[in-house]
Amino acid sequence: MKKDIHPEYHEINVAMTDGSMVKMRSTYGAKDDTINLDIDPSSHPAWTGGAQRLVDTGGRVSKFKKKFEGFGF
């Protein structure tokens, strides 16, 4: 392998949506930096099997529903 071409691999803190912190190794940022997750395995329906929550940022969901209201959504 060539020297000095690979990013540094170090420990970072990952803040889950429930407020818990997990230590992981990554090439992100610097050592002990923190990543705040919007979606994680404890809240995403793909992992929990629960219903999906819609986050309406800027009225996009209501705009979509209004546009396609005649289709039975």
Side-chain angles (χ1 to χ4, degrees):
M1 271 197 307
K2 293 182 180 179
K3 294 184 181 206
D4 301 325
I5 64 166
H6 300 287
E8 181 187 347
Y9 189 61
H10 48 269
E11 280 193 350
I12 60 168
N13 299 311
V14 179
M16 303 297 220
T17 57
D18 64 357
S20 63
M21 296 289 280
V22 178
K23 284 238 183 228
M24 293 187 181
R25 295 187 51 85
S26 175
T27 58
Y28 171 82
K31 184 177 181 184
D32 293 323
D33 276 354
T34 301
I35 295 177
N36 295 310
L37 298 180
D38 294 328
I39 298 173
D40 66 26
S42 66
S43 65
H44 195 278
W47 288 286
T48 62
Q52 183 178 10
R53 294 179 302 182
L54 292 176
V55 178
D56 192 4
T57 306
R60 287 184 278 173
V61 173
S62 57
K63 184 178 177 182
F64 175 84
K65 286 183 177 181
K66 183 179 177 186
K67 184 176 180 179
F68 295 105
E69 66 188 347
F71 291 102
F73 289 115

